[in-house]
Amino acid sequence: MKYFFSLFAVSTLIFSETSIVAETKINQKVIIESNDLMKFDKTSIKLSKGVTYDIVLKNVGKLPKAAMGHNLIILDQGNDAIAFGAKLITDYGATATNDWKPVKAGKKVLAQTKMLGPNESDTIKVKFDKKGTYHFVCSFPGHFAQMRGVIVVE
Ligand SMILES: [Cu+2]
C-alpha cells in the first residue's frame, strides 16, 4: 500500500511538470522596449519555429510621438533592415500621415506594431514557420540606422 501511494505521488509530479512545459509553449511573451535614445533594449532574440509569440513593444520614452515615435516591424527572411529602412519613404509609402507605415512593402513585412508615443505599448502575435534570421526595424524617419536587430529562429 505504501508503495502504491508513493508511485502515485511520483506520477502526479511528472504529469504536472509535463503540463507546465506544454503551457509555456503557447503564446510565449517577448518584451522589447524602445526609448528616447532611439534604441531597442534588445537587438538579438532567439525564438523557436512554430511557436506563437506575443511580441510586445513598450515605448518607455518621454518625448512626443511626432518627434520620437517608435514601432517594431519584423521583416521576412532575406530582407535587410538597413536596405529596407533606406527605402521606407522613397519606395514603401511611409508618410507622416500614415504614421510611417510601409504600406507598399507588401510581403517584405511579416508583422508590425503601431507607431507608439510615450508610455504606449502594442502587442503582435507572431509565429515563425521557417528557421532562419529575420531582421526587425523601427520605421520612424532615420531610426533604422540604429533601431534594428535580428530574430534568430531555430
Ligand atoms: Cu524609432
Side-chain angles (χ1 to χ4, degrees), residues 34-35 38-40 68-71 115 137-144 147:
S34 58
N35 61 33
M38 224 188 281
K39 288 212 166 118
F40 288 125
M68 188 57 75
H70 301 298
N71 64 3
M115 185 66 72
V137 67
C138 168
S139 74
F140 195 92
H143 288 198
F144 70 91
M147 288 194 81

Side-chain angles (χ1 to χ4, degrees), residues 24-142:
T24 55
K25 286 204 169 172
I26 302 165
N27 287 12
Q28 292 202 37
K29 196 178 262 192
V30 179
I31 299 171
I32 302 169
E33 290 183 357
S34 58
N35 61 33
D36 287 344
L37 297 172
M38 224 188 281
K39 288 212 166 118
F40 288 125
D41 71 336
K42 297 177 184 72
T43 53
S44 182
I45 301 166
K46 271 192 185 159
L47 300 179
S48 301
K49 181 189 150 183
V51 176
T52 302
Y53 291 95
D54 280 333
I55 299 183
V56 184
L57 177 66
K58 277 189 185 174
N59 184 17
V60 300
K62 292 182 171 56
L63 293 171
K65 185 169 144 183
M68 188 57 75
H70 301 298
N71 64 3
L72 180 85
I73 297 185
I74 302 171
L75 304 176
D76 203 357
Q77 281 189 41
N79 294 290
D80 178 78
I82 291 185
F84 183 86
K87 291 181 178 172
L88 275 163
I89 296 167
T90 54
D91 293 39
Y92 300 145
T95 66
T97 49
N98 69 15
D99 264 347
W100 307 108
K101 203 173 170 182
V103 290
K104 294 180 188 167
K107 289 183 175 166
K108 290 180 192 298
V109 173
L110 204 67
Q112 61 187 310
T113 69
K114 288 181 246 172
M115 185 66 72
L116 306 178
N119 290 316
E120 290 182 331
S121 73
D122 192 23
T123 303
I124 48 175
K125 282 195 193 304
V126 187
K127 191 171 108 181
F128 299 92
D129 294 325
K130 284 180 288 176
K131 290 182 184 181
T133 302
Y134 299 79
H135 285 203
F136 63 86
V137 67
C138 168
S139 74
F140 195 92

